[in-house]
Amino acid sequence: SALIMTSVRSALRQRLDLPGSISQTITDVNCQLAGDLADHGQFVTLFYMLVDPARQTLEWVRAGHDPAILYDPVTDDFSELQGSGMALGIDMHFQYEKNQKKNFSKGNIVLLATDGVWEARNKSGQMFGRRAVYDIIRNNSAANANEIMEAIISQIKKFLKSYKPEDDLTLVVVKAL
């Protein structure tokens, strides 16, 4: 899987040097990867997002990855940044779509994470869950992005105690300033 991720990263970086929309970029990367991965039954999920602070917009392409979570502390509202799109490497002819959210304003928080974050299970088999992640974001919404990320990781470690997670725990927090 590390080799596949390196290939995805390389293909993405190469393609970003060329003009085109983010949906066309991801479509082109998928086309390149599908030739390499399809015969082996492998695929990669991806959530590609651009943040434009000047226009207060988010643009994203979802390629089989869990939706990002958006939190607005003013309204205390959580929503998901949805979008259609299958994982990369499955169908070289698939056309990805760009999604957009306007009014990404001061204090708004986006969490991108692998499912290992909410599906982390402790020794007794309990899952950490999305609700716990939402509560941590809500309770730390005045903190900066790094502090929110550290709070989530800290609570997962506390929940797991010495039990080792079965899946990877990867997350990125973005906060509008």
Side-chain angles (χ1 to χ4, degrees), residues 92-104:
M92 71 173 22
H93 303 292
F94 190 82
Q95 298 292 310
Y96 291 86
E97 298 174 2
K98 175 183 87 169
N99 302 278
Q100 186 177 55
K101 166 84 171 113
K102 296 180 181 180
N103 301 319
F104 181 63

Side-chain angles (χ1 to χ4, degrees), residues 1 10 14 18-19 39 48 64 69-70 74 84 90 125 130 135 137 155 157 159 164 167:
S1 58
S10 175
Q14 246 181 344
L18 302 172
D39 292 340
Y48 185 82
I69 296 168
L70 174 65
V74 173
S84 61
I90 296 174
R130 285 185 184 261
D135 289 344
I137 293 170
Q155 289 299 313
K157 285 180 180 178
F159 174 78
K164 186 179 176 187
D167 201 355

Side-chain angles (χ1 to χ4, degrees), residues 116-159:
V117 170
W118 24 86
E119 292 177 4
R121 292 182 185 273
N122 63 16
K123 192 173 183 175
S124 61
Q126 291 178 295
M127 267 201 305
F128 189 67
R130 285 185 184 261
R131 180 63 33 212
V133 174
Y134 286 14
D135 289 344
I136 295 165
I137 293 170
R138 178 182 288 116
N139 294 333
N140 291 276
S141 63
N144 67 40
N146 192 52
E147 292 167 336
I148 296 167
M149 182 181 66
E150 288 175 4
I152 294 169
I153 293 168
S154 172
Q155 289 299 313
I156 291 171
K157 285 180 180 178
K158 189 175 180 181
F159 174 78

